[in-house]
Amino acid sequence: MERHENSKEMKKLLVILVISLFPLCCIHSGNRSGFGVKAGLSYTTISGWRMTKYKTSGFIGGTYSIEMKNNWYFQPELLFSNIGSNLKDDKTILSGGYIGIYGIETPVNISYRPSLNRQTNMIFDIGMYSFIGLFGKKEYKYYESPTINDSPFDAIKRFNVGINLGVGMKYKAYSTTVSFQRGLTDLSKNGGGIYHQSFRFSIGYYF
């Protein structure tokens, strides 16, 4: 069963890679491209489970921006990020806890950057991401039972994909972006209908 699930997720990743390469055909020979770095904070949760609530986490990594035509850019990224959720106190059994997963994230965005003046551009991003969990921890605190500290991957999938939406501003080589992520992969290995979701704030610098 696990091998079958991994095969399905790899097929999804392949589709995303094929779609992400399509914009390269639109790039003209005089394009401008360059590396950048970015880091930020995430307000992340696992939606679809009534016992979860948002937790603060973060991410850091690199980006490569390629100009296409008429202020449109193709922008793949490689990030080390933390997703998960805090757990609510249900006043009876569970007193709290959290789920934290650290992994490699590969967002691929199409970015529209209309000019406000010579040095300032608005940023409008749309795209997809893939995430593979490397390690993590879950902690369940109970009122009348011992606290559970264990790996989250006994019940949660390592791999997920989803959508990115963002808006921001670029001034000279600096950028700030507010974005939203919504997973399309059910994170539960038992089909529980739970999905990654986060709001993000990032700052970046283009070399």
Side-chain angles (χ1 to χ4, degrees):
M1 177 65 72
E2 184 173 354
R3 181 178 298 178
H4 177 66
E5 290 295 330
N6 289 337
S7 177
K8 289 173 61 179
E9 301 301 343
M10 290 307 296
K11 288 179 181 178
K12 292 178 184 178
L13 178 58
L14 180 60
V15 171
I16 291 172
L17 290 175
V18 171
I19 294 173
S20 68
L21 290 175
F22 177 76
L24 293 177
C25 69
C26 303
I27 298 173
H28 58 82
S29 58
N31 73 85
R32 292 176 295 172
S33 60
F35 288 99
V37 292
K38 67 185 300 184
L41 295 176
S42 297
Y43 199 47
T44 179
T45 191
I46 299 175
S47 67
W49 182 17
R50 63 182 181 84
M51 292 308 301
T52 60
K53 60 182 180 179
Y54 283 93
K55 69 185 287 288
T56 302
S57 59
F59 58 94
I60 188 170
T63 180
Y64 190 69
S65 185
I66 305 172
E67 184 184 27
M68 297 190 290
K69 293 181 179 180
N70 301 323
N71 296 318
W72 288 91
Y73 289 77
F74 173 63
Q75 184 169 293
E77 301 176 356
L78 182 64
L79 307 175
F80 178 74
S81 61
N82 172 220
I83 66 173
S85 180
N86 284 329
L87 301 179
K88 298 177 181 178
D89 182 351
D90 66 4
K91 308 299 182 182
T92 55
I93 300 175
L94 190 69
S95 64
Y98 67 90
I99 298 170
I101 300 173
Y102 296 85
I104 299 298
E105 180 184 333
T106 53
V108 177
N109 289 319
I110 300 297
S111 183
Y112 179 57
R113 304 175 186 175
S115 298
L116 298 181
N117 54 52
R118 287 187 176 184
Q119 297 181 325
T120 308
N121 298 74
M122 290 293 295
I123 299 174
F124 300 96
D125 291 339
I126 184 170
M128 300 192 72
Y129 75 87
S130 63
F131 177 91
I132 180 72
L134 301 178
F135 59 91
K137 182 180 179 181
K138 69 176 182 182
E139 181 178 275
Y140 295 172
K141 298 179 179 179
Y142 297 96
Y143 280 103
E144 298 181 2
S145 300
T147 296
I148 293 178
N149 291 287
D150 205 350
S151 168
F153 301 120
D154 59 344
I156 293 178
K157 298 173 184 175
R158 291 180 181 268
F159 183 80
N160 82 87
V161 299
I163 60 172
N164 297 312
L165 297 172
V167 61
M169 184 170 291
K170 180 175 179 290
Y171 176 71
K172 294 183 178 180
Y174 300 90
S175 67
T176 60
T177 307
V178 177
S179 59
F180 171 76
Q181 277 190 338
R182 171 69 181 188
L184 301 177
T185 303
D186 186 349
L187 293 178
S188 173
K189 290 184 175 180
N190 300 316
I194 59 175
Y195 300 88
H196 163 67
Q197 182 170 296
S198 71
F199 296 91
R200 290 180 158 186
F201 172 78
S202 68
I203 57 174
Y205 180 83
Y206 294 92
F207 297 104

